[in-house]
Amino acid sequence: PLQLAAAGMVQLKPPRLDMPMAALSMEVWFPADYEVNFTTSLRQVEAYSQRQPSAVNYETGKEVVEKDFDFAFAPRAKRKDAGVQSKMPKAGSRWRFEQLLVVDGKADLKIAYHKPEAKTEGWLSYLSKVCNVF
């Protein structure tokens, strides 16, 4: 699996198209123990303003039906998979971004991240807690 460095930057850009996109939605998940800072032309939102598309499988197979087959009573498809199969993280912190009307691919999202260093106590403050002194 991909391992993040202690600090770094990630840049996400949508595919460049020759025509405008009506709406662009991005969802970013990051491990909870990282601090992140976003620089973006997108708007950060709690919920998307547009309905999100669902995966559809248009694969029809290579079966041939009999002559005069009644498609109104066709059996249900046996396959339930559709679209691209990928494992999406569902742990950590989630951020959502959107932009309506993207022209010339002018939408970008830069993420600067770092893992905060664990704060260590000095020996004097540790002793004062343990011995109730100072």
Side-chain angles (χ1 to χ4, degrees):
L2 177 66
Q3 296 292 321
L4 289 174
M9 180 174 278
V10 177
Q11 184 170 3
L12 303 173
K13 287 189 167 205
R16 194 163 176 96
L17 302 174
D18 289 338
M19 54 199 279
M21 282 187 275
L24 171 68
S25 304
M26 284 189 189
E27 185 173 73
V28 178
W29 288 81
F30 235 84
D33 55 342
Y34 281 83
E35 291 182 3
V36 294
N37 183 26
F38 298 101
T39 305
T40 182
S41 59
L42 304 166
R43 184 171 57 111
Q44 186 172 352
V45 295
E46 290 292 320
Y48 296 122
S49 62
Q50 305 286 319
R51 185 173 165 202
Q52 298 301 295
S54 59
V56 177
N57 186 356
Y58 290 109
E59 186 177 310
T60 57
K62 298 183 180 5
E63 295 83 15
V64 178
V65 296
E66 301 171 6
K67 186 176 180 181
D68 299 326
F69 182 79
D70 187 0
F71 285 95
F73 297 100
R76 289 195 163 284
K78 294 178 186 172
R79 294 180 60 178
K80 295 190 182 205
D81 59 336
V84 175
Q85 298 295 317
S86 63
K87 291 183 180 181
M88 296 300 292
K90 296 294 181 190
S93 302
R94 177 186 71 187
W95 292 271
R96 289 180 174 171
F97 300 90
E98 74 177 3
Q99 181 173 331
L100 303 178
L101 190 60
V102 178
V103 181
D104 294 330
K106 293 189 179 176
D108 63 334
L109 177 63
K110 293 178 187 171
I111 308 166
Y113 65 89
H114 74 279
K115 194 176 231 182
E117 292 184 28
K119 294 180 182 177
T120 57
E121 290 185 297
W123 65 271
L124 186 59
S125 62
Y126 175 74
L127 282 176
S128 68
K129 286 182 185 177
V130 172
C131 301
N132 290 327
V133 182
F134 303 112

